[in-house]
Amino acid sequence: MGLLKHLERDFPIIDSDFQRFCASHGILSDCFDFTQFHLILALAIYPHAVEDFLFHDLYVLAAFAEAQSTSERLKQGITQVLTIIDGQHQTWFNGMELLENHQRRKRVLRTGCVGLDLLLEGGLCQGQLTELVGPSSSGKTQVCLQAASNVAKDIGGVVFIDTGNSVSPKRIVHLVNNILDPTPGEAKNRMFERIMRCILCHSVFNIFSLFNVLHELEANLRLQSEEARVQLIIIDSISSLITPILGSGSHGHALMISVGILLKKLANEYDIAVLVTNHMVGRDGGTLKPALGDSWKSIPNVRLLLSRVSGDNKCSMSIIKHPSVCARKQKMR
Amino acid sequence: MEIDTLPISASMRGKLISTGYISLASLSSISPSQLAQDFRVRESEAVEILKVASVNGRVGNSDGFVAGAQTAWDMLREEEFASRITTSCKEFDHILGGGISCKEVTEIGGVPGIGKTQIGIQLAVNVQIPVDYGGLGGKAIYIDTEGSFMVERALQIAEACVEDLLGKGTAWKEFRASQPKLSAKNLLGDIFYFRVCSYTEQIALVNYLEKFISEHKEVKAVIVDSVTFHFRQDFQDMTLRTRLLGNMALKLMQLPKKFNLAVVLKNQVTTKYSDGSFRLTLALGDSWSHSCTNRVILYWESNERCAYIDKSPCHQSASALSAVTSKGIRSSTSNCSRIKLM
């Protein structure tokens, strides 16, 4: 009953009449009110209220409402709550709408690594979570930096979340210089500055601050303008944030899956490509396998394996998992 | 935004969820005394929980996309002022791009006896070179896990460093006169030395470092020698080890970013069986290799000490020769002392 009392404080329309009505049907935490705004707010804050509400047979409730003196208002309230609940979930798409949405809004971002773009038949897909797995110093950070500079040059709007202080502006300068026209000039300098300003870097050092950053990003993405749209999010590396929490009970596991789901949701709703890197651990036979375990395997849409020939500048990349390209290998520098 | 993603204890989380507070917005309208009453906890604990929830619930920040983020352009401007600690060996400095960077974690590994501790002591002394002589003028924290820090050797290196510096300044006698007394004893006095004897002490110390450094803002280098010693023996539970190491790595990674100092970790080597032969690799496995920004491996090459950059986001793989003399680390004086690019 504590929650209802709070509601009374916030929304004075919920007077003792309603509380008695609700209490008489065992709905201890419901939130009937008749202004749309209050209802939405209340439903967002007290999802338990929705559960309680939905558990009851609505026809029975309506019949009881009939018996009360303020029956009209109560019935209106019930229908309003139902429409709001319906509005909370995503709309249904049919195949054609899905295809149109995909073609119109979700682009393929070229990463600038010729081999990678060839392997992925285009580049990174917006709306998908791509994972780059590889042993240490196999070039994962380099691929991320290259993708960031290329996307910043082509379209703009890159968010780079860095867990190992490995974003080095000098290296980005070097990569950007490689892509731009070699002739120096004022226009080139301006373009250079524009590219560098498009790449936003943030350092996080534990999983909770990653959640903070992603939630803040989500809130700001709703308000973003078309020119300054975020196209690519890179997290390097997500495994160093997750490995410290895995293993001690199931909470770490739950957090890992929540991060994956949140990233995929951001990718899908706001047409962003997400690139994360993962490292490898040894398995029992002495070979290496990707870290983070079997439950993480199903979360990324695309998984790429990077391996480096020792003592050589070349590395080879192969696809482990992709929704539309079959597994292949590619050598690149 | 869920209660799940708050850094609070599991029992408190369970209590909140079972009473119906599953989203952060529901916590925003409740007072600490009410929360304390509802859950029968102390009021101070209730205040803590609400503080955590309000910090995490900040939304709609119009200051760029994410608070605390920087664009690459700003980082580039800042990097021009970034400082590096010299290792007193020119070739070594060259392959590192000028020295040990103050915004990154550098890991140095090698076989026993190659000079890792010598580099550590040299860096602890070099970080204190005054700004006028081209150094950082900061203090150093030396965390010793193996007991290999010899004070007499540190004194020797410090004296040699002072000699070198004063030797440079002979042209400007009046300039030199205005400097505070630069002596080996002062240099030693600015090294904070911690001795840890078990892994719990090591973890506790790493957790405490943040508070220590915010009280001693002049610290510009943290040297851990060696970071893997206590984790290699006697660990039955490997998953616990991975978790502890991961946590420690993240905390160590946070220090350079927050306080603008250099972190140098020393590591040992172990053998690894791969492709039919035994290879020397750094200890603690593949998961630890992701906890540093740069990795340098020291090895012997026909009686010469070589340093090889194994992992770096912005430097090429290269190796350089160096030597350990009575004065500390210096450039190698052999005939073929050149930098080999790989």
Side-chain angles (χ1 to χ4, degrees):
Chain A
M1 282 310 264
L3 288 175
L4 266 180
K5 283 211 193 56
H6 291 148
L7 274 168
E8 187 171 4
R9 196 183 52 211
D10 291 337
F11 314 126
I13 296 189
I14 300 182
D15 57 4
S16 46
D17 268 352
F18 295 112
Q19 292 184 25
R20 259 183 275 121
F21 173 68
C22 304
S24 65
H25 295 282
I27 302 177
L28 286 176
S29 56
D30 70 338
C31 45
F32 289 103
D33 193 351
F34 303 113
T35 60
Q36 186 94 350
F37 170 70
H38 282 153
L39 268 170
I40 295 175
L41 201 57
L43 276 175
I45 296 177
Y46 301 107
H48 261 219
V50 178
E51 270 181 60
D52 284 351
F53 180 61
L54 291 175
F55 277 148
H56 286 70
D57 188 346
L58 292 166
Y59 292 112
V60 172
L61 262 183
F64 273 116
E66 200 74 40
Q68 302 284 317
S69 51
T70 53
S71 61
E72 269 311 308
R73 294 177 72 193
L74 287 172
K75 277 207 281 209
Q76 272 178 26
I78 294 174
T79 37
Q80 277 201 327
V81 170
L82 281 176
T83 39
I84 292 167
I85 293 175
D86 270 341
Q88 293 275 326
H89 66 76
Q90 297 259 2
T91 48
W92 288 97
F93 277 126
N94 65 33
M96 272 314 289
E97 286 169 3
L98 208 53
L99 181 65
E100 273 169 22
N101 181 330
H102 197 84
Q103 284 176 336
R104 197 166 24 102
R105 294 172 54 187
K106 294 186 165 41
R107 292 185 253 204
V108 170
L109 302 174
R110 303 189 66 82
T111 58
C113 309
V114 174
L116 178 56
D117 288 338
L118 213 58
L119 193 65
L120 291 175
E121 290 182 1
L124 298 172
C125 274
Q126 287 187 329
Q128 287 189 345
L129 176 61
T130 309
E131 182 192 5
L132 212 52
V133 186
S136 168
S137 76
S138 48
K140 304 189 290 290
T141 309
Q142 298 304 311
V143 171
C144 292
L145 290 173
Q146 175 106 33
S149 16
N150 217 50
V151 170
K153 168 184 162 273
D154 283 345
I155 328 173
V158 178
V159 175
F160 199 117
I161 300 179
D162 180 21
T163 63
N165 289 340
S166 46
V167 174
S168 127
K170 251 189 345 202
R171 182 75 180 133
I172 301 185
V173 164
H174 189 227
L175 290 169
V176 170
N177 267 330
N178 281 349
I179 327 174
L180 285 183
D181 209 2
T183 55
E186 192 49 46
K188 183 181 174 191
N189 284 346
R190 261 182 281 126
M191 185 156 188
F192 193 75
E193 184 173 342
R194 181 190 69 84
I195 295 180
M196 296 288 273
R197 279 193 195 281
C198 283
I199 306 178
L200 206 65
C201 311
H202 191 67
S203 297
V204 292
F205 300 104
N206 64 62
I207 189 86
F208 299 110
S209 37
L210 177 66
F211 270 114
N212 280 353
V213 168
L214 289 177
H215 284 137
E216 223 178 306
L217 196 59
E218 185 180 359
N220 287 323
L221 279 174
R222 278 187 227 134
L223 315 164
Q224 67 182 340
S225 61
E226 193 50 47
E227 310 86 47
R229 220 161 70 85
V230 174
Q231 313 278 345
L232 175 63
I233 297 181
I234 302 178
I235 304 187
D236 177 24
S237 64
I238 207 167
S239 49
S240 57
L241 293 178
I242 297 182
T243 17
I245 53 167
L246 276 185
S248 56
S250 55
H251 185 56
H253 210 83
L255 283 176
M256 173 175 86
I257 309 282
S258 312
V259 165
I261 294 180
L262 182 56
L263 286 172
K264 291 213 291 197
K265 175 177 162 218
L266 284 177
N268 198 33
E269 276 184 26
Y270 301 104
D271 311 321
I272 303 177
V274 184
L275 179 63
V276 300
T277 57
N278 193 0
H279 65 263
M280 304 193 91
V281 288
R283 70 154 66 100
D284 291 331
T287 51
L288 295 173
K289 63 173 183 179
L292 298 182
D294 286 332
S295 348
W296 175 258
K297 262 198 228 172
S298 55
I299 293 185
N301 301 100
V302 179
R303 299 187 93 197
L304 301 166
L305 174 65
L306 213 53
S307 57
R308 192 184 212 172
V309 180
S310 53
D312 199 359
N313 257 342
K314 299 211 186 320
C315 43
S316 87
M317 193 184 288
S318 54
I319 297 185
I320 312 180
K321 171 184 170 189
H322 194 289
S324 53
V325 176
C326 61
R328 296 208 292 245
K329 272 188 103 122
Q330 182 82 28
K331 282 222 179 328
M332 37 181 263
R333 196 175 64 81
Chain B
M1 285 187 285
E2 307 284 329
I3 297 279
D4 257 358
T5 61
L6 284 182
I8 51 179
S9 72
S11 54
M12 185 50 66
R13 205 183 315 125
K15 276 193 214 169
L16 283 171
I17 293 182
S18 62
T19 332
Y21 292 97
I22 8 184
S23 76
L24 289 174
S26 58
L27 276 183
S28 60
S29 55
I30 198 168
S31 72
S33 50
Q34 189 82 35
L35 194 65
Q37 227 177 3
D38 280 346
F39 296 123
R40 284 183 286 274
V41 293
R42 288 198 311 273
E43 181 143 351
S44 53
E45 282 180 27
V47 168
E48 273 301 314
I49 295 176
L50 286 176
K51 213 189 318 180
V52 166
S54 68
V55 162
N56 287 22
R58 229 173 357 142
V59 281
N61 194 344
S62 57
D63 175 33
F65 274 115
V66 176
Q70 279 183 309
T71 62
W73 182 252
D74 297 329
M75 285 176 72
L76 183 63
R77 294 281 84 100
E78 263 183 28
E79 216 198 7
E80 288 165 15
F81 304 110
S83 30
R84 287 175 178 267
I85 308 179
T86 171
T87 55
S88 296
C89 168
K90 283 207 188 47
E91 285 89 18
F92 201 178
D93 280 348
H94 187 87
I95 59 169
L96 284 172
I100 305 272
S101 161
C102 265
K103 273 198 182 284
E104 295 170 357
V105 176
T106 309
E107 189 179 354
I108 301 181
V111 291
I114 200 159
K116 303 189 294 293
T117 308
Q118 306 301 313
I119 293 186
I121 302 178
Q122 183 76 58
L123 288 171
V125 167
N126 282 356
V127 75
Q128 301 174 51
I129 297 177
V131 178
D132 300 316
Y133 288 97
L136 290 170
K139 304 195 179 170
I141 292 182
Y142 196 100
I143 300 178
D144 190 5
T145 58
E146 293 172 344
S148 48
F149 183 84
M150 313 272 349
V151 185
E152 298 83 359
R153 178 67 176 143
L155 188 63
Q156 205 179 25
I157 293 183
E159 278 170 354
C161 179
V162 170
E163 246 178 63
D164 281 347
L165 286 182
L166 293 180
K168 269 190 231 162
T170 42
W172 308 313
K173 287 214 172 72
E174 60 278 2
F175 182 70
R176 204 166 19 119
S178 64
Q179 294 304 307
K181 190 135 171 51
L182 187 68
S183 77
K185 292 240 166 50
N186 281 351
L187 288 183
L188 284 188
D190 283 337
I191 302 181
F192 295 107
Y193 176 81
F194 292 93
R195 174 85 171 93
V196 288
C197 302
S198 71
Y199 75 88
T200 35
E201 278 184 43
Q202 190 172 342
I203 296 175
L205 182 58
V206 171
N207 288 344
Y208 173 62
L209 267 181
E210 194 174 329
K211 180 153 173 277
F212 184 82
I213 298 178
S214 35
E215 288 164 9
H216 296 87
K217 288 247 161 40
E218 323 81 39
V219 170
K220 288 264 180 262
V222 176
I223 300 156
V224 186
D225 177 11
S226 63
V227 75
T228 59
F229 183 67
H230 291 298
F231 288 92
R232 293 188 69 194
Q233 46 252 39
D234 252 3
F235 242 97
Q236 279 90 11
D237 189 357
M238 294 304 263
T239 48
L240 176 66
R241 190 180 93 162
T242 319
R243 279 208 309 279
L244 293 174
L245 285 173
N247 247 323
M248 195 171 69
L250 286 175
K251 295 224 162 57
L252 286 171
M253 194 59 85
Q254 199 170 10
L255 295 174
K257 201 74 187 188
K258 196 162 168 192
F259 298 110
N260 207 14
L261 44 81
V263 176
V264 178
L265 308 176
K266 235 70 76 49
N267 201 352
Q268 297 157 340
V269 287
T270 178
T271 50
K272 182 163 118 162
Y273 184 72
S274 72
D275 303 330
S277 67
F278 283 100
R279 273 197 319 137
L280 278 181
T281 56
L282 292 186
L284 288 187
D286 300 293
S287 39
W288 177 252
S289 48
H290 294 263
S291 59
C292 57
T293 316
N294 297 318
R295 196 166 343 124
V296 178
I297 298 190
L298 303 172
Y299 61 99
W300 287 105
E301 185 163 305
S302 60
N303 282 344
E304 292 285 346
R305 290 178 163 83
C306 267
Y308 169 63
I309 300 255
D310 187 43
K311 170 185 169 186
S312 167
C314 54
H315 305 298
Q316 253 186 321
S317 282
S319 68
L321 298 170
S322 64
V324 176
T325 65
S326 60
K327 295 186 182 182
I329 306 281
R330 294 289 185 271
S331 307
S332 159
T333 49
S334 80
N335 295 342
C336 52
S337 63
R338 56 182 165 77
I339 300 181
K340 227 172 24 171
L341 285 175
M342 314 290 266

